Amino acid sequence: MHRAPLAALALTLPGAALAQNVAEVQVAPPTITIRVGERSGLLATAFDRIGNVIPTIRIIWSSNNLAVAKVDNNGTVTGVGNGVAIIEARVGPRKGQAAVQVTGGAAPPPPATSPPVTTTPPVTTGAPDPLAGQPAGTGPAAALRLEPGAIYLLPSENTRVSPRALREDGSPAAPVVVTWNSLRTDVASVDQNGNVVALAAGQGTIQATALGGLTATAPVVVQPAEFTVREAAPLMLSPGDIDTLHVIVASQNNRAVNPLVLQWASSDQSVARVSLAGVVTAAGPGKATLTVSGLLQSKSIEVSVHRVAEGMAVRPRFSAEVQLPLTATLKFEAQALAADKTPIPEAPLRWFVADPSIAGFDAQTGTLTGRAVGKTTLVVRGPGAGLAVTWNISVIAGSVKFAQPRVGIGLNQRHTLRPSYADDQGTIIGPAANLTWSTDNPQVATVGEDGTVAGVGYGHARITASAPGGKAAAADVYVVGEIVIASSRSGKFQLYAAERANLAQLAKITTDTSSATDPAFSPDGSRIAYVSTSGGNAEIYVMNADGTGSMRLTTEPSPDGRPVFTPDGQTILFHSARTAGRQQIWAVNVDGTGLTQLTRDSTSFAPAVSPDGQTVAYVSMRNKNYDIWLMARDGSNQRQFTPTPQVRESEPRFLRDGTLAYLVERREGNRTVQQVVRADLTTGSVTPLTGIDLALTSFAVSLSGDLVALVVNAQPENRRNPIYKVYIQPVGSGTPVPMPTTGTEQMVTPTFRP
């Protein structure tokens, strides 16, 4: 700031006018700590409205708590009792304050009401206090020492030295009266309050002598040296911020210079104001130069005050919880915004982690690192009231794990993958979040930011979910047609897929040169079990839904057929005539192990498993008729479901709602008819799914129950050489539509993708 010459101010402004023109009163230093009985000086400075110092002004000093500290007309504060007192310097209506903390004595009793404010301070004679600066103690003194023990000063600088009376064990003794003396008066002087003033370069000694001959000395080194401002330039502040600058002497162990011997000024008070104690107040946006002068030196520091911040942009977006795997990292970004939403890159931001043992944050890189399993918060505060964003952080142990690492979907069908975080033992510890998704085959399947996969074309795609820190897991997605049938269009029965909207467009699945029939989807749609004769006779095989990875499960010379998956996808049931030439129901694991026979009575075939996996339906001829029987998953509790001697029931199929569909053949008048019906296992009530106009030999029904695929003998009169076709019909209405064939092509064993 600009300061007018002091002499000119004194000559042109009378005292009354001076008081009327005071715009601000500052007290330096703003806070001090003294002990009971100790004294310290405060400096009050009055400024006019443009920042000029008004030197000839009468300051009225007061203390708000005389039981803690008192102050005289010169601004000298004396500690009275433990506590904090506010010392006020007043000029007319303007006032400045300093906080004084007093230690080393008994705490004063609390006031009955609000602390009294002294409007007319006590006036002292200014005589030195011989015990000033000495802590309370008891007993006779055995030694005397000075604090500080060595004094470094610049020419014309001053400081305060305090005596310490000590007992033989080093504890404080009762305060003693000392006499001060400088042994080199040409280098430094000392008054009877211990105030030392550096006079000229050189080395001197300050001596304190107490009654009884106790003496203590401290060297005084006075040498010219450069002082500097400790804070780094430029000083970046937000509007309304307050910061304190410190002047130090680097060559003297970075000691601080007494602020009372320095003067500060600002080049632009509309940007930043600075007090005599180096306290900077940011006034408004812009740049200014702060200058500190004294001891025949002058230094400057640039200060920059940014625009007012009224908002913040952060990334990642605020959410209820951010999950972070142990040892992984996650990038956070924040930027202050002005009222017009433009960024303020120079605005300072402060980051805090509530529990650094759970997660550590590097503000330089904006990186949060998981350190221990647990929950904490990450907070970023902007330079303004209410500008703060808090993220709830959950650090979890382990890596990404898919509960369903394989899935089959259809064209234009969507399915959302939902991975979890798991610990080192594979135990799920919570849903995974903040993942990055990718696909290795976007021509087959795409994936969105939330893990939703969309089928684009037939085939296989590998979907990868990557967690912060690089840990990842992958899921296999197979896109296949809704209806899979066995067709002889290539000469031998092979498996093909089609869509209900385009029955004429078949996509071949199997690639072997032998016969392949009886397809059955796994519950997740990613695998197909089927019967192949590639080994010389009919055996059970399993493959990926796109036809890859075929594996043989059974090796018995007797033919096996009609495989079906259990709902957990781990076991396949089928029928085989490997026992005494009669077909029975068997179970085998998908890896070919654990072969188990479930039925042993008469002839049993065509198994089906309920959606809950608890019930198996099958066809049994133990009553010399085709009947539907039920049993438990392990083969126990076998019981007849359709006791109808005059009707043949076969081809059981469970629907998703737990009802059972099957094929009924019966006589009506002079003809035999076939019809697909659905039965409730609990009540036994039966409802038809199809009419009786077609010569049905088998069927399949979608799990939702809205569509049936019917295997029809197109020439029912030709029982020796039947011609099999597959018709598609909506349940309850509509006309059966044949899947188009060419030449002698036949179609059998349809199934629906789950």
Side-chain angles (χ1 to χ4, degrees), residues 240-281:
D241 274 0
I242 297 177
D243 202 354
T244 301
L245 300 177
H246 302 82
V247 176
I248 61 173
V249 182
S251 61
Q252 296 178 0
N253 198 28
N254 291 325
R255 72 170 182 85
V257 176
N258 187 347
L260 298 180
V261 302
L262 302 172
Q263 289 186 332
W264 288 89
S266 171
S267 65
D268 189 342
Q269 296 226 26
S270 67
V271 174
R273 302 190 303 272
V274 60
S275 73
L276 292 182
V279 178
V280 182
T281 301

Side-chain angles (χ1 to χ4, degrees), residues 474-526:
D476 292 298
V477 175
Y478 298 90
V479 181
V480 66
E482 179 187 13
I483 307 167
V484 174
I485 52 97
S487 169
S488 65
R489 66 172 48 188
S490 62
K492 293 184 178 181
F493 279 107
Q494 291 291 301
L495 301 184
Y496 294 81
E499 304 293 337
R500 69 171 71 186
N502 189 1
L503 297 176
Q505 186 68 41
L506 295 185
K508 191 176 182 183
I509 299 176
T510 50
T511 58
D512 59 29
T513 58
S514 59
S515 174
T517 58
D518 290 357
F521 275 100
S522 62
D524 60 14
S526 72

